[in-house]
């Protein structure tokens, strides 16, 4: 399949074909979808963080003229259960509500306004119950137990407890030359996707239900909807509508949104659209888990880390949703990209009467990265070692083992990211110029922060059954190519990558490859579009499909005497010849990762098939008077294996950096008694282009991954993971104090400055 | 795959799952489809049968307030050509119009009314040209040549001329004991589908165009639309909407309808719906080809047929569309289901300034069946042989060769259909009771007619590259099954048959198999849904897919020690095990027919992979005073191989019989100067349930076809083919005269009675 004569498409900055539709306003997002007879839904939600539902009276709402139905729990044909990992969350609460905004009923009416107005007329009598609003309080013995299903929880309000034990941590700490420690808290982060959650459920032929959804994980939704409707999986198909951002926020939540729409659609036997408004979306859908991490590091005087002792608490909210998976990644990522021989991590996710938290870019890793990078800098400071140098001494190299005792051999570019980032920054010179700047005046202080991260690509050893993907491909009689996969485009560029891979293998122009919107009925369960796995896994499936098709094409080329190097130019003839001979023009490709494993007793195992790495360096300037920190310069270097599309990968990094800047510096949701105190982007501030300087300078260390498509690993989450920590460490450097909590808002930075 | 413990689904009267949607009014037909921003289209059509287009002025139409665009030929991005077989028909006429109703422009507006009104304001200046309205006139040397592309025609107005030569016909006729001859004319037949032609063209992501269409042949449409839009095939997908009947009328015509909608949608970059109203549909879309057949038969005194000499003329209308394929079936079917050693057939399709005729159930065969069955009866009468007996002596048996010199060996049930039909009718007793009835009074005369037919299933030797089909199938993690094929449900029951086959092989309940609407992007070109090939070809593809999947399931069953006979009950466990092990749950199935061939020089060859057979017996009663004929009793016996679903096959026969009764007795479209003189179902009368007595008594001779799915051949067209001839021959028997033309309307029957 070598084509020395042709320019390869791999690495090329192929323009994303879906951009045109989006720029023109022609892409159809969930709220753009219309079906004949379609009704609009509004959700009746709990105003209380914890209360018993005594009575639901839908009479007045049902009698509103434009209302067609009000559905409550009793209208659910199947199980009143939104299946994610554990089955503890009802689609519509019927006995107890456990967070503010929990759905109790859904109204379907001719217009959205009528539905919303009628929703207000659904009378629900509640008896308020004691509220548990903080995970540490929730863990106290005296705390009321608020979990829905005690059997599905570890004990009391403790949803999940996981451990990682490697080596002899006690000995390591007792023998260490130095021990540093700290407590690190992070708060909520809102995904702030441009498009709020939305779905249109459409009863289909043969007793089926289709749901058009703004979603990352159509197969999760398929399972959830089949469950509430009591339908076989084959009778439920999820079609992804153009998705205006997700960032993890559309991983588990659409299972609830789509279930609600489908319940209503089943009751009225008509299409039902449910679109959340911004306030509703922010207040009632998942966020990044707030965390409290206690972290101790033992090291030698040369900076070599001997051991870590980490305690992670995540605030899961009222239901489990994805918390156990998020927690697991905290556990596996706690040691960072470093060789750590002795490891002890305890990780707990805890129930509170708050909105269930879920997936968010980084998925439990930012909560431990802020700590591990803070600890590395603390060590460096205390030992008088340069921060680049201490990382250089500890970073994983090929042949090392990770904290879970997993050997890493292939594609280990951690150190290269560090070196390139240091080079790009001119690290030592920059430190000197910052010193000079800080000495020259007193109103601003600059600081330089560095952060290195490791990221296990894909779902790994806790859910190995999800690490697979399918592709369906066919050659058309004119040599163009039709392609379908099961992971989604949500802005990250998956469509472009898939088309590039197919075009590269088959030797057709990218403009002749058409990719279908994701529809769960077209390809087998391809797992979720999460964990930076889209390009790697679906890319492999597409690669495998394309290779099969290519073999058939080459066989025909041989038969009709077309030289291999003329295949691209003769593709139409070849396809036509195959078509005329009634050859099968369809192939399906399948991919699964190399085996992974995890032992829950020890927390050890070959937990991920492969890892991505990154090192970011941020320079910030703090206004000493206001406490405001802003980005002066940013360098981001990634090892995500071969980069399939440099333009889009760079875009991923730029976006991730911005989201990390927001997480570190400004994004905050106060919570009081289980109530979130924001309702839109005037009260929840996210970075603008002005907050990220000119954007990051981006470098790629392409340590090719033999088992990835053309050597690619994943990239999506990694930029966020590294960037917030680089920013936080830059602020620490600037102010000369150790931050213990995010965000480093002006108030908090002023507090740090005062403490110095 | 034997399952002695389980009731087989094959042959079972599994209820059609799509019936529920249709009965409830929930099936979405083309006009039920709505897209956001969708416009409605109306077509500006030629009022002349033949005219030069001097000028098209769209100014006034375009300035109507609700109009968004008026498209003419110059707006077509690609070729102004509706590709069917030959490229002679423009999508929008720009220089010459050749039939009344030919499209000249298309208007897209906010409402259908606005579009229709604006269409009237498109000013087209025409210069009328001489009109050729009859095929025999068209063939005269003095006739103006009216074809669009003389190169694509044989000569002058002769589109196509085909011959079949076998043996020495001249010798056969000179040595025959008896020669009979006749001329037989048939007229137009309108498909009278419940749902008129319609399509919605929707610009899609990545530069694609989707067209939702009421269509039999989505892949034809895909090709046509790609051509007019100048898009690769991968960028055009056709999704079949629920189709309210087709009968051949939605074989080629949707290529024009969808092209028009797609041209308008491309111009406005919005979805465009085009639905024909009933009058527009009847007047401007294809009909059954009117025919003139001159038929001579040479035989021995024992009734053995020695030879035939047949001349077929079909009135093709203004463009070729499918005429050459229709003509080819006339050619191959001209000898009927009989052993005829010496065969001479000349078949011509001829251009006239009338609506292009196309596919209609039977596809060129009814036009020669009326003759061959009339001739058989004539022979019987002249030789004093019973009509059953003379057929018994001549019908093809296994080991015989057809008129095209094709040996038929497997699945030759012709004779069995005759015997069963005679038995069901109690042929001799019935003849006696009819004689008694006719002798008892003079106001009514009863008659008994019999007709035997042969039908080559599939597309055969003239287009072997179309006889293929694909299926895409996947097992869901709960053991339910998702299925897609490329041939369509149009009322005949294909969906049910496909689901039955999949369920049978996999051992799952039919209710757990879901079939997707046909979408050309999901499966490879599976050929058209015509020629009674749907169940046979797509069924084979489904069978092949299911067998592949079954193999994987059995392998897992072995691994986890589930006995084979417990697979059906344990399917959910097995599927779950496969899912957890990341096994590929998708398969694709592919089917193609056994090789066929045809020599255009001689007309001989193994022209079809397999044949279906039928014998129908009709009893009619003629009111001597009015000439009205009505059905008293009807027996229909078919050999279509194994019957997969007796209920649906019986329904197919009942419907085909009714349509044949209409063709023989009442359906008529007068044509004057190229203008059709009907405009709806008040002027074009089709049979009601009252016209077909209690419906036909149906019998099946199931001569299994080894290469068909579970032994199935095709059935769709055959009942129509036999029924009209049985009715016509019954009328002949009743009135004691030979009909020379259809329909046998009261006027024509009175003429026959007078002639006696």
């Amino acid at each position: 399949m070598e084509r020395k004569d042709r320019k390869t498409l791999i690495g090329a900055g192929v323009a994303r074909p879906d951009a045109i539709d989006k720029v023109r306003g022609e892409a159809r997002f969930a709220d753009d979808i219309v079906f004949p007879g379609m009704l609009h839904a509004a959700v009746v939600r709990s105003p209380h963080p914890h209360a018993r539902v005594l009575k639901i009276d839908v009479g007045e709402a049902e009698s509103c003229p434009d209302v067609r139905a009000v559905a409550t729990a009793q209208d659910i044909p199947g199980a009143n259960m939104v299946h994610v990992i554990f089955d503890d969350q009802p689609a519509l609460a019927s006995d107890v509500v456990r967070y503010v905004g929990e759905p109790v009923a859904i109204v379907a009416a001719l217009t959205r306004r009528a539905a919303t107005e009628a929703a207000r007329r659904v009378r629900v009598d509640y008896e308020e119950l004691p509220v548990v609003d903080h995970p540490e309080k929730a863990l106290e013995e005296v705390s009321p137990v608020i979990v829905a299903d005690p059997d599905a929880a570890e004990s009391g309000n403790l949803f999940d407890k996981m451990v990682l034990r490697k080596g002899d941590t006690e000995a390591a700490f007792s023998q260490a030359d130095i021990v540093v420690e700290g407590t690190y808290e992070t708060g909520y982060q809102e995904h702030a996707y441009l498009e709020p959650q939305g779905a249109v459920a459409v009863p289909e032929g043969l007793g089926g239900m289709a749901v058009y959804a703004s979603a990352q994980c159509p197969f999760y939704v398929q399972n959830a909807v089949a469950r509430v409707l009591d339908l076989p999986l084959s009778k439920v198909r999820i079609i992804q509508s153009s998705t205006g951002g997700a960032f993890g926020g559309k991983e588990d939540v659409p299972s609830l949104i789509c279930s609600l729409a489908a319940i209503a659609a089943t009751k009225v036997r008509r299409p039902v659209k449910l679109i959340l408004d911004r306030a509703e979306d922010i207040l009632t859908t998942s966020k990044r888990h707030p965390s409290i991490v206690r972290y101790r590091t033992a090291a030698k005087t040369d900076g070599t880390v001997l051991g870590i002792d980490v305690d992670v608490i995540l605030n899961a909210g009222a239901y489990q949703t994805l918390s156990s998976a998020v927690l697991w990644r905290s556990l596996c990522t706690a040691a960072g990209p470093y060789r750590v021989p002795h490891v002890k991590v305890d990780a707990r996710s805890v129930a509170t009467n708050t909105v269930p938290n879920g997936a968010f870019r980084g998925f439990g890793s930012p909560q431990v990265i802020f700590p591990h990078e803070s600890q590395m800098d603390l060590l460096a400071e205390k030992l008088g070692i340069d921060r680049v140098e201490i990382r250089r001494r500890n970073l994983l190299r090929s042949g090392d083992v990770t904290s879970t005792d997993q050997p890493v051999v292939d594609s280990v570019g951690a150190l290269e990211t560090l070196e390139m980032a240091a080079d790009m920054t001119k690290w030592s010179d920059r430190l000197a110029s910052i010193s000079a700047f800080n000495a020259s005046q007193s109103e601003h202080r600059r600081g330089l922060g560095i952060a290195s991260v490791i990221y296990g690509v894909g779902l790994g050893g806790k859910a190995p059954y999800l690490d697979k993907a399918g592709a369906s491909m066919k050659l058309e009689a004119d040599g163009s190519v039709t392609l379908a996969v099961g992971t989604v485009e949500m802005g990250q560029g998956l469509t472009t990558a898939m088309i590039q891979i197919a075009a590269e293998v088959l030797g057709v122009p990218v403009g002749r490859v058409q990719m279908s919107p994701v529809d769960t009925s077209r390809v087998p369960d391809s797992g979720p579009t999460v964990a930076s796995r889209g390009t790697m896994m679906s890319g492999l499936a597409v690669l495998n499909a394309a290779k099969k098709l290519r073999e058939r094409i080459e066989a025909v080329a041989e038969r009709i005497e077309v030289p291999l190097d003329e295949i691209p130019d003769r593709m139409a003839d070849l396809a036509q010849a195959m078509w005329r001979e009634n050859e099968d023009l369809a192939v399906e490709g399948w991919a699964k990762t190399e085996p992974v494993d995890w032992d829950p007793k020890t927390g050890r195992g070959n937990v991920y098939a492969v890892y991505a790495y990154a090192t970011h360096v941020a320079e910030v300037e703090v206004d000493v008077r206001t406490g405001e920190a802003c980005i002066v310069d940013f360098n981001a270097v990634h090892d995500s294996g071969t980069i399939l599309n440099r333009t889009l990968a760079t875009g991923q990094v730029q976006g991730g950096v911005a989201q990390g800047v927001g997480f570190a510096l400004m994004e905050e949701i106060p919570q009081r008694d289980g109530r979130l105190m924001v309702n839109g982007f005037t009260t929840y501030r996210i970075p603008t282009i002005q907050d990220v300087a000119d954007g990051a300078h981006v470098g790629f260390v392409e340590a090719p991954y033999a088992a990835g498509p053309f050597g690619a690993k994943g990239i999506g989450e990694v930029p966020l993971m590294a960037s917030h920590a680089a920013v936080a460490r830059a602020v620490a450097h600037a102010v000369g104090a150790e931050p213990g909590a995010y965000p480093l808002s002006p108030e908090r930075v002023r507090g740090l400055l005062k403490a110095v």
Side-chain angles (χ1 to χ4, degrees), chain A residues 14-72:
Chain A
V14 169
R16 52 189 308 161
D18 53 319
I20 296 167
D21 306 315
K22 285 166 182 164
V23 168
R24 275 184 166 143
E26 291 174 354
R28 283 196 295 272
F29 297 90
D31 204 11
D32 297 321
I33 292 170
V34 171
F35 281 91
M38 188 179 78
L39 299 178
H40 299 260
V43 181
V44 180
R45 297 178 180 279
S46 166
H48 304 294
H50 197 199
R52 190 171 307 286
V53 178
L54 300 177
K55 192 184 161 198
I56 304 174
D57 179 359
V58 302
E60 190 187 337
E62 275 185 341
S63 67
C64 294
D66 288 348
V67 170
R68 290 296 170 268
V70 182
T72 62

Side-chain angles (χ1 to χ4, degrees), chain A residues 238-554:
Chain A
I238 311 303
I239 303 103
Q240 189 219 5
S241 47
S242 283
T243 296
F247 310 110
K250 291 170 184 170
E251 178 170 350
D252 57 309
V253 174
S255 292
L256 173 59
I257 306 291
C258 295
S259 292
L260 293 175
I263 289 164
T266 299
K267 182 161 188 182
V268 294
R269 299 189 67 83
R270 286 168 69 166
V272 170
K273 177 186 280 186
L274 172 61
I275 308 286
L276 302 198
D277 71 23
R278 183 61 68 182
E280 187 181 21
D281 192 304
I282 290 186
L283 290 170
T284 72
T285 70
S286 71
K287 313 265 159 289
R288 190 186 298 288
H289 290 71
S291 67
I292 305 158
V293 176
R294 292 181 181 82
Y295 206 116
R296 296 169 64 224
T297 307
K300 296 201 281 186
T301 46
D302 67 355
T304 309
V305 174
L306 293 173
I308 57 170
D309 178 1
V310 186
D311 182 75
V312 178
I313 294 178
L314 297 184
N315 178 355
Y319 296 106
Q320 300 231 31
T321 67
L322 288 163
S323 289
S324 75
V326 172
L327 188 73
W328 187 73
R329 194 173 277 275
S330 300
L331 185 86
C332 296
T333 311
Y338 306 114
R339 276 188 307 259
V340 185
H342 306 283
V343 178
K344 172 171 179 283
V345 186
D346 291 273
R348 290 172 290 174
S349 71
V350 183
T352 60
N353 288 123
T354 58
V355 65
N357 295 307
F360 197 133
R361 201 175 195 174
F363 204 76
S365 74
Q367 290 94 330
V368 294
I369 290 167
F370 168 36
H372 74 57
E373 289 306 273
S374 295
Q375 295 265 298
M376 194 56 73
D377 282 1
L378 259 182
L379 276 182
E381 191 194 339
K382 302 231 170 192
L383 295 170
I385 304 173
D386 175 78
R387 287 179 283 160
V388 168
E389 179 56 28
I390 197 169
R391 285 173 172 79
R392 187 178 288 131
R393 291 180 190 171
N394 285 290
L395 276 173
L396 289 165
R397 287 152 171 81
S398 178
D400 286 341
V401 297
T402 67
S403 63
T404 68
D405 231 3
Q406 174 175 2
V408 286
V409 180
D410 188 24
S411 186
V412 186
L415 193 64
E416 289 86 340
T417 67
L418 180 82
E419 304 297 357
M420 190 190 283
D423 284 354
M424 282 168 68
T425 312
K426 299 190 172 64
W427 176 259
S428 305
D429 298 350
R430 187 74 63 104
L431 283 176
S433 68
I434 286 172
S435 286
F437 175 87
N438 289 346
S440 70
Q441 45 76 55
S442 60
E443 291 187 348
H444 297 89
R445 293 195 60 80
R446 288 195 175 175
L448 199 60
I450 186 164
S452 293
V453 299
I454 184 172
Y455 182 78
V457 181
L459 298 153
K462 192 156 184 293
Y465 43 81
L466 294 176
D467 260 338
K468 54 191 166 193
S472 164
M473 185 183 285
K474 69 181 176 112
L475 187 65
E476 302 288 343
D478 64 354
S480 60
V481 176
T482 301
L483 174 62
V485 298
T487 56
V488 312
E489 173 67 57
M490 47 189 170
Q492 86 279 39
L494 183 100
T495 301
T496 315
M498 297 306 102
I499 288 176
Q500 275 181 266
I501 291 170
E504 175 73 11
V505 177
L506 296 171
V508 300
V510 291
R512 291 178 71 81
V513 182
Q514 178 73 350
M515 196 160 122
S516 306
V518 173
D519 176 336
T520 56
S521 72
R522 295 180 83 113
V523 287
D525 186 345
S526 297
T529 316
V530 300
S532 306
R533 66 187 289 279
T535 292
M536 188 171 94
M537 293 307 300
S538 285
L540 262 186
V542 169
L543 183 70
N544 292 337
K547 281 178 174 171
K548 281 191 211 175
L549 194 52
R550 173 87 192 180
E551 270 175 37
R552 293 190 201 162
I553 294 166
E554 290 186 0

Side-chain angles (χ1 to χ4, degrees), chain A residues 109-194:
Chain A
L110 295 182
T111 64
R112 187 165 168 181
R113 176 186 289 254
T116 306
E117 283 176 5
R120 288 193 205 107
R121 295 180 189 200
V122 173
R123 300 254 167 87
V124 187
D125 295 341
Y126 295 100
E127 176 196 335
E128 290 193 53
L129 296 171
V131 175
V132 177
D133 71 347
H134 190 279
E136 291 192 313
K137 282 193 247 163
L139 290 174
E140 289 169 5
E141 274 207 19
V142 296
S143 171
V145 174
I146 59 105
V147 300
D149 179 2
D151 293 343
E154 186 84 21
S155 68
N157 292 318
L158 179 62
F159 274 150
D160 242 309
K161 178 176 166 53
M162 295 175 195
V163 298
L164 173 54
R165 299 284 184 270
K166 189 180 75 160
D168 183 345
T169 322
E170 222 165 293
F173 272 83
S174 66
Q175 291 155 19
D177 297 327
I178 181 172
V179 170
V180 293
E181 61 181 275
T183 298
Y184 306 89
E185 296 192 27
T186 62
Y188 285 113
Q189 187 175 18
E190 157 63 23
H191 305 88
Y193 29 66
L194 272 175

